[in-house]
Every structure is written in structure tokens, then in C-alpha cells.
């Protein structure tokens, strides 16, 4: 007779279950770390994009970025509260990310210098904090 017995199949299924059970915490940790890195990259890309729009004079206006716990909004105007909402570009963070510290950066026209500088902290409950520094020349370090 050829084939597998029921005992052999149950043993293989149990071994697969054990491997999946052992690897899930590692997989979850990788996903959480990736979500934090994706959020940092999204933030840096949005900041650089707003700076370039201010420098190039798109719509002859200042451009800025507003960072909140749910995501990022690239806006046109002197501040988030007085922005022209028709030009908003909102993007959500992936996963559970909270933002603190520097929440709004507006760039001057032509020079593209930030009107506010400081540290933006992106936090993940599982991965901890990631500090992003915006300096006086508009450089972003993280």
C-alpha cells in the first residue's frame, strides 16, 4: 500500500502549526518596524515636497506640512489653519503611529527655509520612538 497514514498527516500538521506559532511574533515585529520606517519616509518625502513647491513658486504661495497622529497633510498657505483646502494632499500613516513634537512646518517662498525647526517624534507602541530633526536650512535627519 502506498500513501500516508492519519498519524503521519497529523504529525506534519502539528509541526507546521508549531512553526507558524513560533514565527508569528517575529513576523509581527518586522511589520511594526516597517510601519514606523514607512511613516518616517512618508514624512520626510512630504516635507521635501512642500519645500520644493515653495522654492519653485507653485501657485505663488508658501507650502507646508501638518503632521498628526493619523497621518500627514501637505497644504498651501501661511499655516494649516489658514490654508487653501482645495490643495490639501492628505496621506495616512500605516499601522499605529503617534506623532509629537514639531507638528507643522511651513517653508518660505524662493529660499525654501522652514519657518519652524525642531524635532518630530514618531512613536510606535511596539518599536518605540523615531526622532526626525528639521534644521534651519530645511534638512531632515532621522
Amino acid at each position: 500500500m502506498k500513501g500516508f497514514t492519519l498519524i503521519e498527516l497529523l504529525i506534519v500538521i502539528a509541526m507546521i502549526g508549531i512553526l507558524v506559532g513560533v514565527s508569528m511574533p517575529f513576523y509581527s515585529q518586522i511589520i511594526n518596524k516597517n510601519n514606523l520606517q514607512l511613516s518616517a519616509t512618508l514624512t520626510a518625502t512630504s516635507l521635501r515636497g512642500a519645500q520644493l513647491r515653495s522654492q519653485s513658486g507653485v501657485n505663488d504661495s508658501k507650502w507646508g506640512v501638518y503632521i498628526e497622529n493619523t497621518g500627514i497633510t501637505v497644504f498651501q498657505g501661511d499655516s494649516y489653519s489658514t490654508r487653501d483646502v482645495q490643495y490639501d494632499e492628505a496621506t495616512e500613516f500605516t499601522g499605529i503611529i503617534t506623532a509629537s513634537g514639531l507638528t507643522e512646518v511651513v517653508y518660505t517662498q524662493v529660499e525654501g527655509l522652514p519657518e519652524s525647526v525642531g524635532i518630530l517624534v514618531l512613536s510606535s507602541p511596539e518599536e518605540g520612538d523615531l526622532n526626525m530633526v528639521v534644521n534651519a536650512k530645511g534638512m531632515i535627519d532621522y
Side-chain angles (χ1 to χ4, degrees), residues 43 67-71 93 97-103 120-123:
T43 303
I67 302 113
E68 54 191 337
N69 287 337
T70 57
F93 288 137
I97 304 293
T98 56
S100 59
L102 187 65
T103 58
L120 165 67
V121 181
L122 297 177
S123 302

Side-chain angles (χ1 to χ4, degrees), residues 89-142:
E89 294 177 10
T91 309
E92 292 185 5
F93 288 137
T94 306
I96 303 170
I97 304 293
T98 56
S100 59
L102 187 65
T103 58
E104 184 175 337
V105 179
V106 178
Y107 292 95
T108 61
Q109 286 182 270
V110 182
E111 297 91 8
L113 300 175
E115 294 180 352
S116 56
V117 296
I119 299 174
L120 165 67
V121 181
L122 297 177
S123 302
S124 168
E126 296 84 9
E127 288 300 313
D129 297 341
L130 190 145
N131 294 332
M132 301 184 73
V133 178
V134 179
N135 71 17
K137 295 196 183 235
M139 299 293 293
I140 304 146
D141 185 32
Y142 63 99

